[in-house]
């Protein structure tokens, strides 16, 4: 994985007000921490950071720190829940040769055998790999898989140098029978629904049947 260079600026003001001013200026508040060092409070250019984060587990080369550049991985990315813009990022300092555990996307290729329906249970899987050689994804080829076939975490073909950081027996995906035309029709027409509740007794019916007390 290639490194993405990004220029940092020291951050000396804290709180909601300064954070809002930084975001209005196109910058994102961030914290750089790890390896027993004191956390560094910085801001990063918002547009460049947004583009970098499109790559899963992107390796950032954070420059402009005064004491040399640091390699870092995004560990916690906070976004505005409505507008989606970046609000804050936590960055973990890493060293070359160091092993780290990250969540990697599971990408499916191919088509299952006719009559089968693919059901993917895991869209990400935890892997341990060298910090500067993190895989972007794990591919699973499902071409021709028959109904009833399961792929567990231990069955995944991992990239070179990576080891599984998840439960080996975790179900990644399996192939289910495709629904029949009758099942689809029943689902669309509402057949099989619970019967409607009986209509309430007409006014006076109970008195007529049970008599006066």
């Amino acid at each position: 994985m290639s490194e993405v260079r990004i220029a940092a600026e020291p951050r000396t003001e804290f709180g909601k007000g300064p954070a809002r001013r930084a975001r209005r200026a196109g910058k994102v508040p961030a914290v750089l921490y790890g390896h027993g060092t004191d956390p560094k409070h910085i801001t990063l250019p918002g547009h460049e950071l947004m583009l970098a984060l499109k790559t899963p587990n992107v390796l950032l080369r954070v420059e402009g720190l005064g004491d040399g550049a640091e390699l870092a991985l995004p560990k916690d990315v906070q976004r505005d829940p409505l507008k989606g813009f970046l609000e804050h990022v936590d960055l973990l300092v890493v060293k070359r040769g160091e092993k780290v555990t990250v969540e990697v996307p599971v990408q499916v290729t191919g088509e299952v055998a006719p009559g089968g329906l693919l059901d993917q249970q895991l869209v990400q899987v935890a892997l341990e790999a060298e910090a500067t050689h993190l895989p972007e994804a794990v591919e699973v080829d499902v071409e021709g898989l028959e109904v009833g076939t399961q792929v567990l975490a231990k069955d995944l073909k991992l990239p070179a140098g990576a080891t599984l950081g998840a439960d080996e027996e975790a179900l990644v995906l399996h192939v289910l029978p495709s629904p029949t035309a009758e099942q689809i029709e029943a689902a669309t027409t509402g057949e099989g629904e619970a019967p409607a509740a009986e209509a309430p007794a007409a006014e006076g019916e109970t008195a007529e049947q049970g008599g006066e007390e």
Side-chain angles (χ1 to χ4, degrees):
M1 175 183 292
S2 60
E3 302 169 10
V4 176
R5 294 187 176 186
I6 194 163
E9 295 179 2
R11 180 161 55 100
T12 57
E13 293 184 305
F14 306 97
K16 293 183 179 179
R20 282 196 294 266
R21 288 196 294 273
R23 287 191 286 267
R24 283 199 296 268
K27 301 175 182 179
V28 179
V31 175
L32 185 69
Y33 67 95
H35 282 276
T37 61
D38 292 333
K40 293 183 175 67
H41 298 273
I42 58 177
T43 59
L44 300 171
H47 182 67
E48 287 87 340
L49 182 60
M50 180 184 64
L51 293 177
L53 292 178
K54 291 181 179 294
T55 300
N57 301 311
V58 62
L59 183 65
L60 298 175
R61 182 179 177 85
V62 185
E63 301 179 337
L65 300 174
D67 53 354
E70 295 277 16
L71 296 178
L73 289 172
K75 294 302 291 183
D76 184 30
V77 179
Q78 299 175 20
R79 299 178 183 271
D80 180 270
L82 297 178
K83 298 182 180 180
F85 60 79
L86 296 172
E87 291 190 322
H88 190 275
V89 178
D90 287 351
L91 301 175
L92 176 65
V93 175
V94 295
K95 303 297 182 183
R96 296 187 188 280
E98 176 185 8
K99 292 270 189 172
V100 295
T101 300
V102 293
E103 295 285 335
V104 177
V106 177
Q107 294 182 350
V108 174
T109 61
E111 298 288 340
V112 299
L117 179 67
L118 181 66
D119 180 26
Q120 184 173 350
Q121 295 287 309
L122 289 183
V123 295
Q124 290 186 318
V125 64
L127 296 184
E128 185 181 50
E130 201 269 313
T132 56
H133 293 87
L134 296 176
E136 294 187 9
V138 174
E139 289 193 357
V140 183
D141 185 5
V142 300
E143 186 65 34
L145 293 188
E146 301 286 346
V147 171
T149 303
Q150 293 185 339
V151 175
L152 305 180
K154 65 182 179 182
D155 302 322
L156 295 173
K157 294 181 179 178
L158 303 182
T163 57
L164 188 65
D167 179 5
E168 291 187 347
E169 300 300 321
L171 179 62
V172 178
L173 57 86
H174 57 164
V175 183
L176 303 175
S178 296
T180 63
E182 291 78 9
Q183 289 172 328
I184 296 175
E185 183 178 359
T188 55
T189 58
E191 291 183 11
E193 294 181 356
E198 293 183 4
E203 185 177 350
E205 182 177 341
T206 302
E208 293 173 2
Q209 292 178 349
E212 296 181 0
E213 294 183 359

